[in-house]
Amino acid sequence: MQVSTSHEKWSSRLTFIMAAVGSSVGLGNVWKFPYEAGVSGGGAFVLIYIACILVVGLPILIAELTLGKQGQMSPPNTMRTLAQREGRSSLWQSVGWLGVLAAFMILSFYSVIGGWALAYVPKFISGDLITTNPDVVTTEFNTLLASPAQMLAWHGLFMVLTIFVVARGIHAGIEKAVDILMPALFFILLALVIYAAIAGDFGRAWSFLFAADFSKITPDVVLNALGQAFFSISVGLGAMMTYGAYLPKDVKIPRAATIIVFADTMVALLAGLAIFPIVFANGLDPASGPGLVFVTLPLAFAGVPLGGFFGTMFFVLIVFAAITSSISLLEPVVSWAEEHKGVKRSLSAIVAGFLIWLLGLLSVFSFNLWGDVHLLGMFERFETATLFDLMDFTTSNIFLPLGGMAMVIFASWIMSRETTETDLGLSPALYKSWLFLARFVAPIALLMIFAYNIFG
Ligand code: TRP
């Protein structure tokens, strides 16, 4: 196969960090984290989540970025080159392929939810959603879900935006997008938290998020917290590997990874602090699941002054966060295509984006036409799981942890110590800590959680 490594490089350390934070901060932070925390009892989930991020997520993120920086190519080709360099089987490239598959699957449903958020912006601006009548909001949301045509259109628009950015390349596309969207996102979020602190019940939200009720912890909660940690920091798939491949040699990865993980966790917690104060102030249920942001929150906004304006801003925030993530899901695929002679970035972005949109039909129909299709219904755990639920579960709870495990094992056991030691540029003590976490703690934690889930 003819491959070329001449990808564009990030213009600066700062744009790389903004792009990587943009990848990690997404629907996972503003939509999924609050509702997962909500249904799993708040504080206990938050605590386990943070532990997963620090002990498993951060060492793996460092490993994944390092692989990318060393290989300088898309995940399949990076893994193949690095395995060759270390004299190992070219089968290692299957880690890259698993990532490409996961990217297709995740983006296909990610874009459907991103489409809901897009749809909510005009609904808020027109005032349709600003009502304290639960029936009206529920009907509004259910009507959207019940209409394959509407959902397909919004999902399509979301994919078009994603394709547009990725097609333009690193400098003209991704960097430009994150340069505008990330600062905007930051200011909107800050404004929303301040607003929630003034208009909502901040104290209750605080204790909900930070007072741990350990009776709520089950193996399922731990697996979900782990899956959520992987999903939220974009690790285990090769998105970060791809972004790492565009790094100039002099950027030190551990610092960058720490900033990414810190920013991501802060945004998840701040999103909780923007949402729950208003939810509690209106006496609504924090444990309302996936509908938390789309049904509970509009009701909550309608009950507070200036709710229409801040509600609109909240959904603009979700859209911005989702776009800077979705581009990082399309990029590994396009990056791989680009490595073939004569393949144009714009064309591959359009083709891959279209195929992903098609795959998204499975998710779209899960909410209406195929709402009763339960492929794995014979297993108690998946009794009510739709195709959408199954894709979410398979990717977050199986593919990403598996990919992450393979990457961290490769970086810590197979790559030569000299390579990682010089490349990471850590003090001896910190390097040894990383090595210990990467070699033992992260893989063993992952194995235990897997085993618990299969046999427990
Ligand atoms: N991290 C993003 C979020 O929280 C989603 C995402 C983007 C992602 N790129 C990824 C998840 C790569 C896993 C792997 O919404």
Side-chain angles (χ1 to χ4, degrees):
M1 184 172 45
Q2 185 125 41
V3 292
S4 79
T5 63
S6 53
H7 289 292
E8 287 175 84
K9 294 267 180 268
W10 301 111
S11 342
S12 69
R13 197 180 89 103
L14 182 67
T15 38
F16 159 69
I17 288 184
M18 283 215 282
V21 172
S23 168
S24 63
V25 169
L27 295 172
N29 305 63
V30 280
W31 168 66
K32 217 168 165 202
F33 176 84
Y35 95 62
E36 293 258 12
V39 294
S40 308
F45 177 87
V46 174
L47 210 64
I48 296 181
Y49 174 82
I50 292 177
C52 288
I53 290 270
L54 289 180
V55 175
V56 187
L58 182 58
I60 299 186
L61 179 60
I62 293 175
E64 183 172 337
L65 287 168
T66 304
L67 294 181
K69 191 180 164 202
Q70 287 287 325
Q72 293 187 41
M73 283 191 269
S74 66
N77 287 329
T78 282
M79 289 311 294
R80 193 174 40 81
T81 319
L82 294 181
Q84 263 166 10
R85 194 190 290 171
E86 305 294 340
R88 297 303 169 115
S89 156
S90 60
L91 274 178
W92 277 100
Q93 69 177 304
S94 50
V95 177
W97 288 116
L98 182 72
V100 170
L101 176 67
F104 265 82
M105 290 171 67
I106 293 183
L107 188 48
S108 80
F109 66 75
Y110 201 82
S111 161
V112 171
I113 314 287
W116 295 352
L118 271 178
Y120 264 52
V121 174
K123 281 185 201 293
F124 257 98
I125 293 178
S126 70
D128 284 359
L129 270 172
I130 308 167
T131 161
T132 45
N133 181 346
D135 295 339
V136 176
V137 180
T138 310
T139 311
E140 192 77 41
F141 185 53
N142 288 342
T143 314
L144 175 66
L145 297 200
S147 162
Q150 271 195 51
M151 278 231 279
L152 279 181
W154 289 110
H155 160 54
L157 178 61
F158 188 88
M159 275 317 297
V160 167
L161 294 171
T162 305
I163 292 168
F164 178 76
V165 175
V166 173
R168 293 170 58 94
I170 308 303
H171 296 304
I174 298 183
E175 288 191 346
K176 245 199 184 130
V178 298
D179 278 350
I180 301 166
L181 299 181
M182 292 313 289
L185 191 150
F186 178 74
F187 283 114
I188 297 175
L189 183 61
L190 220 56
L192 283 166
V193 174
I194 294 172
Y195 170 73
I198 297 168
D201 189 343
F202 202 74
R204 247 190 96 189
W206 185 272
S207 53
F208 178 71
L209 283 172
F210 299 114
D213 172 2
F214 287 101
S215 68
K216 292 256 171 67
I217 299 179
T218 63
D220 253 3
V221 170
V222 177
L223 184 76
N224 281 343
L226 180 81
Q228 173 61 17
F230 269 84
F231 187 86
S232 191
I233 59 172
S234 299
V235 95
L237 176 145
M240 288 299 188
M241 197 188 284
T242 311
Y243 276 13
Y246 307 154
L247 273 175
K249 283 263 171 282
D250 57 336
V251 173
K252 293 280 174 265
I253 282 172
R255 242 180 78 115
T258 311
I259 296 174
I260 296 165
V261 160
F262 179 77
D264 186 69
T265 308
M266 283 308 285
V267 172
L269 295 174
L270 287 175
L273 290 177
I275 293 172
F276 290 121
I278 330 185
V279 170
F280 284 128
N282 286 276
L284 295 163
D285 182 12
S288 46
L292 175 69
V293 156
F294 292 100
V295 178
T296 311
L297 196 62
L299 286 171
F301 272 122
V304 285
L306 296 177
F309 173 74
F310 284 100
T312 311
M313 291 319 281
F314 186 84
F315 284 93
V316 170
L317 168 88
I318 299 195
V319 170
F320 284 2
I323 296 273
T324 55
S325 298
S326 64
I327 54 184
S328 79
L329 286 161
L330 187 55
E331 181 61 26
V333 183
V334 170
S335 173
W336 171 79
E338 205 182 27
E339 283 158 4
H340 298 78
K341 251 205 157 69
V343 178
K344 264 209 154 120
R345 166 173 278 269
S346 48
L347 185 68
S348 50
I350 293 170
V351 172
F354 176 72
L355 293 175
I356 290 166
W357 180 81
L358 272 184
L359 187 61
L361 299 191
L362 297 182
S363 295
V364 167
F365 294 153
S366 294
F367 294 97
N368 36 67
L369 308 176
W370 298 346
D372 295 324
V373 176
H374 307 302
L375 215 56
L376 297 182
M378 58 286 212
F379 301 104
E380 201 188 321
R381 167 194 234 150
F382 300 113
E383 218 157 35
T384 58
T386 59
L387 294 175
F388 167 84
D389 296 325
L390 291 179
M391 287 219 281
D392 179 16
F393 181 87
T394 321
T395 48
S396 293
N397 294 6
I398 301 174
F399 288 2
L400 298 182
L402 215 57
M405 174 133 80
M407 290 175 200
V408 82
I409 287 175
F410 191 94
S412 65
W413 287 101
I414 295 188
M415 247 163 57
S416 75
R417 273 184 72 153
E418 296 74 60
T419 314
T420 48
E421 200 158 7
T422 7
D423 197 33
L424 293 180
L426 290 166
S427 70
L430 278 177
Y431 177 71
K432 285 211 177 96
S433 321
W434 172 77
L435 205 59
F436 179 68
L437 289 173
R439 283 189 159 180
F440 303 105
V441 179
I444 291 173
L446 286 175
L447 274 180
M448 273 172 31
I449 293 167
F450 270 134
Y452 223 42
N453 251 273
I454 297 169
F455 309 109

